[in-house]
Amino acid sequence: MTSNRMGSEPTDVCIRGAGAVGASLALALSRQGLRVVLQAGPAPTGQPDVRTYALNAASMALLQSLKVWEALPPDAVTPVHDMQVQGDAQPGAIRFSAWDQAVPALCWIVDAAALEEVLHAALRFAPHVRRAGPDETVDAPLTALCEGKHSATRERLGIHFDMHWYGHRAIAARLVADRPHDGTARQWFRSPDVLALLPFDRPQPGCSYGLVWSLPEARAAELLALPGAEFEQALNDATGGAAGRLQLGSERAAWPLGVGQARRFSGPGWVLLGDSAHVVHPLAGQGLNLGLADVQALAETLAAREAWRPLGDERLLARYARRRLGPTAAMATVTDGLLHLFAPPAPWLRELRNRGLSLVDHLPGAKRWLAGRALGL
């Protein structure tokens, strides 16, 4: 494969990957006056994007600072006021409330496609951002890799990525219920699956959900092969009518699940962000939140650099890495631990984990701490 070299116009930062993390980083660095080249990956498949993101307060604040949040269509953002988490036996349950946390919302459910569309609309007006194809050679003192968990550039740099596949798939879809969601998110932890209903206003305002259902590969394949009506019956059996009668409002999509982290987040002239650096199970809805926290940390690190220090300086970029290695590893440990806690069917462990959920539900201090971590506070 041959590469095409861009013109002689100077570039400060080359960002490889134009998803939500890469686009947000381009906007953040452009606001500092840095000259950015954004390299897009392969063209979209043309399939509708049925994903939803659960964004925390820190992510919302970043998108507000980039003048993106307010540009989202009203029905593309739904606040979550309450969250009900159910275990796989009585009395295992825990409930979170925005009222108890003294916050306007626990999180916001955002249409993935709408967010990327608004980010790229904002980039058209960013004064210091140019676009380049994936095969063009860009000379820049700093390259930021935002290409996702299968980053080809990361592989070429020889950066080892420790990835463990769970043998599970996540099924995503849009759902419509026969009663209002009232801003309540619902989640079930059961051996061996995790099911989440995220309140949403598309396709029907006030009565829609984003589905994220994580199951072993074989069971996921069975469900994906079912006709729509039979899939809906399996889904309604799994939720027990807690959210009303659910119907599909979109096609179904699925992807394999795993946990992984790069051995290094930075080096001379390069940094990793988002899924190029770390991958977690979606059971806590923290994937994009971690990526946007990477964006915030890198932008602040570059803005605070000494005037004499170049952008690609290894010690400078190590400051970013130190800031992000701990939080991302901690989130991976939490999500991996929760998954393995609820996976085994042993009766004694089932009773222990469900009693643990109920115990935390009666400890306000513990609940506030958990909610604060999820909110990014």
Side-chain angles (χ1 to χ4, degrees):
M1 181 186 301
T2 59
S3 296
N4 302 313
R5 185 172 295 278
M6 295 193 71
S8 59
E9 188 175 348
T11 300
D12 296 313
V13 182
C14 173
I15 301 173
R16 294 189 60 86
V21 172
S24 298
L25 181 63
L27 287 172
L29 299 186
S30 172
R31 290 169 65 84
Q32 296 183 23
L34 295 174
R35 296 161 297 189
V36 176
V37 168
L38 183 62
Q39 290 192 283
T45 62
Q47 296 294 321
D49 191 345
V50 299
R51 295 173 302 154
T52 50
Y53 296 129
L55 297 187
N56 62 22
S59 293
M60 182 189 72
L62 172 64
L63 294 173
Q64 284 178 326
S65 73
L66 300 178
K67 311 302 182 186
V68 167
W69 188 258
E70 291 77 6
L72 285 163
D75 66 342
V77 181
T78 305
V80 175
H81 300 300
D82 295 282
M83 184 176 296
Q84 298 182 7
V85 180
Q86 188 72 44
D88 54 358
Q90 296 296 333
I94 185 170
R95 293 167 177 81
F96 296 96
S97 165
W99 174 268
D100 292 338
Q101 300 300 320
V103 293
L106 294 173
C107 64
W108 291 261
I109 309 304
V110 177
D111 184 296
L115 177 59
E116 294 202 8
E117 182 179 344
V118 170
L119 282 166
H120 285 277
L123 284 168
R124 290 197 289 270
F125 299 94
H128 305 291
V129 179
R130 292 178 290 138
R131 295 206 177 239
D135 297 329
E136 294 184 69
T137 298
V138 180
D139 292 322
L142 175 59
T143 298
L145 306 185
C146 309
E147 297 172 307
K149 57 180 172 286
H150 299 300
S151 171
T153 310
R154 184 191 65 212
E155 295 301 314
R156 288 197 295 271
L157 286 171
I159 305 160
H160 189 78
F161 194 83
D162 294 307
M163 189 74 191
H164 168 70
W165 296 103
Y166 290 124
H168 287 206
R169 294 181 75 82
I171 298 176
R174 302 289 170 82
L175 307 172
V176 178
D178 64 358
R179 68 178 194 229
H181 56 60
D182 294 328
T184 299
R186 302 176 186 275
Q187 190 167 29
W188 289 262
F189 284 86
R190 295 173 302 216
S191 174
D193 66 308
V194 181
L195 193 159
L197 298 178
L198 307 175
F200 202 49
D201 293 326
R202 289 183 173 182
Q204 185 172 323
C207 296
S208 300
Y209 288 94
L211 169 69
V212 183
W213 196 357
S214 306
L215 307 111
E217 289 274 5
R219 179 57 177 157
E222 291 174 2
L223 288 170
L224 289 167
L226 290 176
E230 293 182 31
F231 177 85
E232 290 169 356
Q233 185 59 55
L235 177 62
N236 281 291
D237 290 344
T239 59
R245 184 75 185 173
L246 301 168
Q247 291 183 305
L248 284 168
S250 73
E251 297 297 320
R252 288 161 280 176
W255 62 91
L257 297 176
V259 60
Q261 183 156 308
R263 297 273 179 92
R264 301 173 63 197
F265 280 15
S266 69
W270 59 266
V271 288
L272 305 180
L273 297 92
D275 285 358
S276 293
H278 42 72
V279 174
V280 297
H281 193 286
L283 62 85
Q286 294 300 307
L288 183 56
N289 289 318
L290 290 174
L292 293 179
D294 294 345
V295 170
Q296 183 76 41
L298 181 60
E300 291 176 356
T301 298
L302 298 183
R305 75 186 186 281
E306 299 86 348
W308 53 267
R309 195 181 291 276
L311 288 166
D313 182 83
E314 188 170 8
R315 291 188 177 183
L316 170 68
L317 302 177
R319 299 173 190 171
Y320 157 78
R322 285 193 297 270
R323 199 168 151 181
R324 296 305 301 149
L325 276 166
T328 54
M331 184 57 67
T333 299
V334 168
T335 56
D336 188 63
L338 279 172
L339 183 67
H340 285 94
L341 177 63
F342 280 88
W348 68 270
L349 184 56
R350 173 180 291 186
E351 180 176 357
L352 180 63
R353 67 199 178 207
N354 284 284
R355 288 188 179 277
L357 272 181
S358 296
L359 176 62
V360 173
D361 193 45
H362 290 87
L363 296 173
K367 286 176 67 172
R368 280 195 297 272
W369 184 88
L370 286 171
R373 304 289 76 71
L375 286 164
L377 302 176

